[in-house]
Amino acid sequence: MLAGKIMLECSAETYRVEDTMDRIAIAFGVENPQSYATPTGINFSVDRAEAANFMRIAKRTTDLYKIAEVNRISRMIVSGELELNEAFDSLKELDRNHSVYSNTLLVIAATFVSGCFTIMFGGTWADFIPACIAGGLGFAAMLGSERLVEIRFIAEFFASLIIGLIAVGFITLGIGLELDKIIIGAVMPLVPGLHITNAVRDLMAGHLVAGVSKGAEAVLTAFAIGAGIASVLAFI
């Protein structure tokens, strides 16, 4: 359940979480493990007649490094390289560790990614710097808003609002040529690409509840981004 908790908190696919939990349980001699995961909780029991254990998932982020580490630990368990106590200690240490990427590094990455997406979508090099600045400041605004308001929808709306204002400001000052290309590139770090992909993969794997809920979350995120930009453009 700890392995499943770490994976769900880091935005792993639901079917991957259940498969990992089952493999770990079987490797330690559990017969007929029953695992069921949703984006907000895990149920696990040993066989059908035993009491079920439940774990609530309150916050979720994106951290593919931790997902890969849980997969590595689970493979070592299955191959017999880790004993029960060693595996549990490894998972507890991984759960305590923070993300390998600091917020500063994430903002820097979002800054350059925004400019590159602007060029990729047909923008000119004159739009590169405005898109970098708008995307970096918008992503920083999202990270800061999440600390104040634990509602991701509001954080993403505020971030896209900042991006729209900065982009319009650059065009007004004569810096940059195409407003739409600057905005499109700057909002790309906010786009929920991983949630959309996981929603489709869970639906294809038969996890309808998880797939629909992740899809709804992605739609809300896209709506928040669009609403923030539209709020700025409505007053131009």
Side-chain angles (χ1 to χ4, degrees), residues 150-164:
E150 294 186 0
I151 302 176
R152 193 172 180 84
F153 178 89
I154 296 177
E156 287 158 348
F157 172 82
F158 181 69
S160 61
L161 189 70
I162 295 296
I163 289 172

Side-chain angles (χ1 to χ4, degrees), residues 31-47:
E31 295 183 3
N32 194 24
Q34 300 291 319
S35 59
Y36 176 72
T38 69
T40 55
I42 300 173
N43 282 287
F44 181 80
S45 64
V46 179
D47 211 343

Side-chain angles (χ1 to χ4, degrees), residues 1-205:
M1 291 188 72
L2 179 58
K5 169 183 174 292
I6 296 171
M7 296 181 75
L8 278 180
E9 287 180 340
C10 297
S11 297
E13 306 95 315
T14 305
Y15 73 87
R16 185 192 299 274
V17 173
E18 294 181 356
D19 181 65
T20 300
M21 292 171 63
D22 288 342
R23 289 177 183 271
I24 291 175
I26 292 172
F28 286 127
V30 175
E31 295 183 3
N32 194 24
Q34 300 291 319
S35 59
Y36 176 72
T38 69
T40 55
I42 300 173
N43 282 287
F44 181 80
S45 64
V46 179
D47 211 343
R48 296 179 180 85
E50 297 293 330
N53 300 280
F54 176 78
M55 183 177 290
R56 180 81 165 84
I57 307 299
K59 295 186 66 176
R60 298 189 304 279
T61 184
T62 300
D63 193 334
L64 301 183
Y65 170 78
K66 283 191 175 184
I67 296 175
E69 282 296 295
V70 173
N71 285 334
R72 182 184 66 82
I73 292 171
S74 69
R75 292 190 187 99
M76 294 177 67
I77 292 172
V78 172
S79 63
E81 299 177 43
L82 285 179
E83 297 295 330
L84 179 59
N85 291 333
E86 295 174 330
F88 189 48
D89 290 340
S90 298
L91 289 172
K92 286 193 295 184
E93 182 179 358
L94 181 62
D95 188 35
R96 286 193 300 266
N97 290 340
H98 297 290
S99 174
V100 292
Y101 304 112
S102 65
N103 286 342
T104 301
L105 186 58
L106 292 176
V107 171
I108 293 173
T111 299
F112 288 102
V113 164
S114 299
C116 293
F117 270 116
T118 293
I119 300 300
M120 189 182 77
F121 287 125
T124 64
W125 286 106
D127 302 320
F128 181 82
I129 297 300
C132 285
I133 295 174
L137 292 177
F139 196 82
M142 185 192 71
L143 294 177
S145 300
E146 282 185 325
R147 293 182 178 181
L148 300 175
V149 183
E150 294 186 0
I151 302 176
R152 193 172 180 84
F153 178 89
I154 296 177
E156 287 158 348
F157 172 82
F158 181 69
S160 61
L161 189 70
I162 295 296
I163 289 172
L165 290 172
I166 294 174
V168 170
F170 275 121
I171 294 297
T172 303
L173 295 173
I175 305 173
L177 298 177
E178 299 183 70
L179 177 63
D180 57 335
K181 300 298 191 298
I182 295 173
I183 290 176
I184 290 172
V187 301
M188 286 306 294
L190 307 179
V191 173
L194 181 63
H195 293 297
I196 296 171
T197 303
N198 286 351
V200 174
R201 295 183 69 176
D202 279 333
L203 286 171
M204 293 177 66

